[in-house]
Amino acid sequence: ASYKKDQKDYQPTSLIEILLESDIYNDEVTIIANDVILMMMAATDTSRNGSIIALSHLMKNSKSKQRVRDEIRDFCDRENIPESETSLNPSSNDIKQFTFLQNVIEESFRFNPPVPNVDDYEILEDITVDGITIKKGTLVKYNITGLHHNPNEW
């Protein structure tokens, strides 16, 4: 990777090049490969789990399930896809037409976030929020699931 650093106006164009250029990895290709594999597996796992959770929510709500089915059926009718077709492979532009399904997925992620909590944040200076003083050095954690289930917010 260092040969590219010497080229005038070089800009990395891929994730691998960005990681190779990073001071964190010091051209350690094995570590980069391991981290990229981990990122790909995490994204796959999150997508799979999100789909399963969205489907389980739909199973509990027959009205919403029927709306999703109707939306897909309407799409198939518009695109002249026979009802006997067992696989549907819509393009990214086609998916934009599934607005209710998109709402179901987003609500499912709100209700069951893939990352329910985040790391601690350290308060860098004394602050007061809603009349509560938080001292410098205090560790604060955001409870995303709690926020997403707060009836005052949702």
Side-chain angles (χ1 to χ4, degrees), residues 3-146:
Y3 71 91
K4 289 189 175 183
K5 290 180 191 176
D6 299 333
Q7 293 176 2
K8 185 178 180 186
D9 298 328
Y10 167 70
Q11 292 292 319
T13 58
S14 70
L15 174 63
I16 300 298
E17 287 181 354
I18 291 169
L19 296 176
L20 282 168
E21 299 297 321
S22 167
D23 294 335
I24 297 170
Y25 289 100
N26 294 321
D27 291 333
E28 292 288 337
V29 176
T30 304
I31 295 172
I32 291 172
N34 288 340
D35 282 357
V36 169
I37 290 169
L38 180 64
M39 284 185 262
M40 289 175 17
M41 289 174 58
T44 301
D45 195 45
T46 300
S47 297
R48 185 198 67 215
N49 289 344
S51 298
I52 290 169
I53 290 168
L55 287 171
S56 70
H57 284 296
L58 279 175
M59 288 174 32
K60 297 178 205 172
N61 188 322
S62 59
K63 191 174 179 182
S64 292
K65 180 173 69 172
Q66 188 59 49
R67 278 188 69 182
V68 169
R69 292 180 81 168
D70 291 344
E71 190 171 66
I72 293 169
R73 190 170 286 122
D74 291 345
F75 170 80
C76 291
D77 289 346
R78 281 193 310 275
E79 299 296 318
N80 294 319
I81 300 170
E83 204 167 307
S84 59
E85 182 69 39
T86 57
S87 64
L88 183 63
N89 191 15
S91 71
S92 57
N93 282 333
D94 294 336
I95 290 173
K96 293 175 186 173
Q97 298 177 47
F98 299 120
T99 54
F100 187 74
L101 176 58
Q102 184 65 39
N103 290 342
V104 167
I105 292 167
E106 289 174 7
E107 179 66 2
S108 180
F109 276 120
R110 180 195 69 82
F111 203 73
N112 300 92
V115 180
N117 295 302
V118 294
D119 292 335
D120 293 335
Y121 290 93
E122 182 177 352
I123 302 300
L124 299 178
E125 59 186 46
D126 291 355
I127 60 170
T128 301
V129 178
D130 289 338
I132 299 170
T133 300
I134 304 172
K135 297 284 186 189
K136 176 182 177 180
T138 301
L139 296 179
V140 176
K141 181 181 288 270
Y142 291 98
N143 179 350
I144 295 170
T145 302

